[in-house]
Amino acid sequence: MSSISFIGLGGMASAIATRAVAGGNAVEVIGRDAAKAKALAATLGGGATAGTFGTVPLGDIVVLAVPYTSAASVVAQYGEALAGKVVIDISNTFNAEATGLVIPDGTSGAQEIAKALPASAHVVKAFNAVFGHILAQGHPLDVLFAGDDAQAKASVSAFIESLGLRPLDVGGLPMARWLEGMGPVLMGLARNGMGSFNIALGVSAIS
Ligand SMILES: NC(=O)c1ccc[n+]([C@@H]2O[C@H](COP(=O)([O-])OP(=O)(O)OC[C@H]3O[C@@H](n4cnc5c(N)ncnc54)[C@H](OP(=O)(O)O)[C@@H]3O)[C@@H](O)[C@H]2O)c1
């Protein structure tokens, strides 16, 4: 069991938090709108609580569930309150057309968020290449993740497993750029080859 805090109360936070409660984790939800956070905690049940935006989250793992364009300002408002936390960055960094990334070459949204966090926080990129509405349906899915700190990755991996999902480590945090690149790939598949948003990417071992 892990203790998890979600910053952001939208579709992704709700989908992951629902599975987190079902998986027996201690869940806290936090948003800039306190009433909305309380309402989501009540909907989640399972002892989920509503935290106060900008103060030290209860969870050892903090899921940053806000748009990438808001991440820098949210992280700045938290400042040292995120010291020592494992921060899961779930953001997609693709442009409005979903044909490319808004991130400069040589970095990723996750690495930029890591630079803005206290040095003692550890960022793990995960969940960005899974549609929220698919997560909400409860399927067993593959969740690719990347990060530099082995202990942080182990705790995120255990958390992902507790959601009934398969964690797959793709390497260090610079690999987050390529995970973010899977966002446009997923959107392109939905709009073209698969012709549907009811899809998920998965990895097969071939013997
Ligand atoms: N949707 C998907 O299928 C999907 C899949 C993979 C990854 N993602 C990523 O997951 C993240 C969340 O996506 P979502 O679909 O859950 O979005 P969403 O439903 O629009 O929810 C976004 C949440 O972020 C909060 N927020 C936005 N700006 C904020 C700010 N400046 N300060 C505090 N809170 C702020 C919003 O607060 P209010 O409630 O107060 O407006 C809302 O609760 C994004 O980074 C997205 O790229 C999404």
Side-chain angles (χ1 to χ4, degrees):
M1 187 196 97
S2 308
S3 62
I4 312 291
S5 295
F6 292 83
I7 302 176
L9 306 169
M12 280 298 278
S14 175
I16 300 172
T18 298
R19 295 183 77 131
V21 167
N25 298 284
V27 172
E28 177 189 53
V29 290
I30 308 165
R32 56 186 169 184
D33 179 339
K36 198 170 167 184
K38 271 190 188 153
L40 178 57
T43 303
L44 289 169
T49 58
T52 304
F53 188 87
T55 63
V56 177
L58 288 180
D60 300 322
I61 297 176
V62 177
V63 179
L64 191 56
V66 300
Y68 179 67
T69 46
S70 300
S73 95
V74 169
V75 165
Q77 286 175 77
Y78 269 82
E80 285 301 311
L82 292 175
K85 299 293 184 185
V86 173
V87 176
I88 304 183
D89 165 33
I90 67 169
S91 67
N92 271 310
T93 57
F94 54 73
N95 58 23
E97 299 77 30
T99 53
L101 302 183
V102 297
I103 300 295
D105 288 348
T107 186
S108 61
Q111 288 162 283
E112 295 308 303
I113 288 168
K115 284 183 207 163
L117 283 164
S120 58
H122 299 292
V123 175
V124 176
K125 185 89 198 184
F127 294 102
N128 72 289
V130 187
F131 284 133
H133 67 278
I134 299 294
L135 270 175
Q137 290 169 14
H139 305 288
L141 305 166
D142 286 345
V143 174
L144 279 55
F145 67 94
D148 284 338
D149 185 82
Q151 212 176 329
K153 286 207 288 191
S155 62
V156 170
S157 183
F159 170 58
I160 292 170
E161 273 188 343
S162 80
L163 307 179
L165 303 165
R166 182 170 70 148
L168 294 171
D169 184 352
V170 303
L173 198 60
M175 288 299 288
R177 179 172 183 87
W178 311 116
L179 291 184
E180 289 170 24
M182 288 174 65
V185 170
L186 186 62
M187 293 292 284
L189 280 168
R191 289 171 173 167
N192 295 283
M194 295 300 289
S196 165
F197 283 79
N198 290 326
I199 59 171
L201 296 172
V203 178
S204 303
I206 308 296
S207 53

